[in-house]
Amino acid sequence: MSDQNDTREHIVDTAAVFLRAAGADSPESADAVVAEYLGEGDPIDRYGRLWSLISVGLVVVGETLRALMNPPGPVALEAEETPDPTELTAMKAITAQVNLDGEAAQDVVTGHVAAEGLEGLVDLLRAFLDVYRLNAIWGSETTT
């Protein structure tokens, strides 16, 4: 039971960091929140925390978008312009998450990281933060 509580606490703490970064008043401030969360020290530990932030952030974005859209069935997100590879990956991962296929969403992220490396993971986090910010703005405008 203790392991389950530790896991739940870790997820809640990680989601809080994601939401703090998403609520930052600038990309630099968001980077500072993420850097504080990642801390210093062992690169493998930092990579693990970054991966956790991406995974939890993906769920936060997907579930928020799902709640805003309230789709009756599977959705397909489309861009108005041709997105860059990171934005395209983010859209694919978020679409899978909105469609309640968390495993497929994680597979998209894993494939992106395999192709782009650690910098690709950082770029993906920034894309998720941008999507969350835009949806939070859109959601607040549509509910008023």
Side-chain angles (χ1 to χ4, degrees), residues 23-74:
D25 57 0
S26 70
E28 293 79 17
S29 296
D31 287 349
V33 169
V34 171
E36 179 184 332
Y37 171 74
L38 297 179
E40 297 293 324
D42 182 28
I44 294 174
D45 288 341
R46 296 180 78 222
Y47 179 77
R49 286 191 290 274
L50 180 59
W51 190 263
S52 292
L53 194 57
I54 288 284
S55 297
V56 171
L58 174 58
V59 172
V60 169
V61 171
E63 292 305 311
T64 301
L65 191 54
R66 183 172 183 68
L68 288 171
M69 293 171 56
N70 194 19

